[in-house]
Amino acid sequence: MNSVGFDLDMTLADTRVGIAAVYDALSRHMGVFIDSAAVVARLGPPLEWELANWLPPEEIPGAATVFRSLYPSIAVPVTSLMPGAREAVEAVRRGGGRIVVVTGKNARDAASTVEFLGLDVDEVAGSVFGAAKGPALASFGATAYVGDHVADIEAARAGGVVSVAVATGLYPAGELRDHGADVVLDDLTEFTEWFDGWRTPASLV
């Protein structure tokens, strides 16, 4: 069975507007300048890593708590699907596969985002980044992992699955290819054609 893992931010979900709005609200709450445009230009790493660019270490846990308290009401309602996202998930389902979302976003907000977008997935694993995503992919039985960040290529390697990179985030196609992605797509509108040609027919499983 060709089950597939997907990253969330900038792979399945365009979260830029919502995340920027939460950072703007957090900036006002903390009384500290945070350049939300710079933040959303490099989405991928965990929240605490990004906060370290703007706050001293002792303030990061409290800021993260505030951020996560604001996220459901501010960010989720303005999140949208990335081009081809729904069709990509449907292609896996149509091919008899299962879908897991494995993301650095915390599991609660990841699950509510997936639900808001109406994506038919089987599991959501949150708060993991880079190679730390590997165990979630392996335990789910994924055979490929799709993401926009070079760390998602590392995740696929750690999970022993095919790395499918989409050039919809920080990294252009050439950098994703140079970093070792097995497959590089411009965006998820190209996923269905690739998947239908790659997957193992059910009759051969």
Side-chain angles (χ1 to χ4, degrees), residues 83-101:
R86 190 178 309 282
E87 293 80 2
V89 169
E90 290 174 349
V92 177
R93 188 70 74 201
R94 187 169 58 250
R98 299 170 67 236
I99 300 104
V100 61
V101 173

Side-chain angles (χ1 to χ4, degrees), residues 92-164:
V92 177
R93 188 70 74 201
R94 187 169 58 250
R98 299 170 67 236
I99 300 104
V100 61
V101 173
V102 186
T103 174
K105 192 182 300 298
N106 70 86
R108 182 204 66 185
D109 291 338
S112 61
T113 298
V114 167
E115 182 180 3
F116 175 77
L117 295 174
L119 294 172
D120 178 21
V121 310
D122 296 286
E123 289 185 21
V124 175
S127 299
V128 284
F129 181 68
K133 293 182 176 183
L137 293 168
S139 65
F140 184 77
T143 51
Y145 183 59
V146 186
D148 65 284
H149 200 281
V150 293
D152 295 325
I153 301 171
E154 298 166 5
R157 292 283 174 270
V161 305
V162 172
S163 169
V164 182

Side-chain angles (χ1 to χ4, degrees), residues 6-153:
F6 288 90
D7 177 46
L8 186 58
D9 291 1
M10 301 310 297
T11 298
L12 290 174
D14 189 342
T15 52
R16 289 173 293 187
V17 172
I19 288 177
V22 178
Y23 270 103
D24 289 341
L26 179 66
S27 177
R28 292 189 295 271
H29 178 86
M30 302 289 294
V32 174
F33 173 73
I34 298 176
D35 185 346
S36 59
V39 171
V40 299
R42 56 177 180 242
L43 292 179
L47 170 63
E48 287 80 4
W49 293 19
E50 180 59 49
L51 290 173
N53 294 314
W54 311 101
L55 297 167
E58 65 273 13
E59 294 184 17
I60 291 174
T65 297
V66 173
F67 182 98
R68 292 185 176 115
S69 73
L70 297 171
Y71 198 95
S73 61
I74 294 177
V76 173
V78 294
T79 300
S80 59
L81 286 166
M82 294 294 288
R86 190 178 309 282
E87 293 80 2
V89 169
E90 290 174 349
V92 177
R93 188 70 74 201
R94 187 169 58 250
R98 299 170 67 236
I99 300 104
V100 61
V101 173
V102 186
T103 174
K105 192 182 300 298
N106 70 86
R108 182 204 66 185
D109 291 338
S112 61
T113 298
V114 167
E115 182 180 3
F116 175 77
L117 295 174
L119 294 172
D120 178 21
V121 310
D122 296 286
E123 289 185 21
V124 175
S127 299
V128 284
F129 181 68
K133 293 182 176 183
L137 293 168
S139 65
F140 184 77
T143 51
Y145 183 59
V146 186
D148 65 284
H149 200 281
V150 293
D152 295 325
I153 301 171

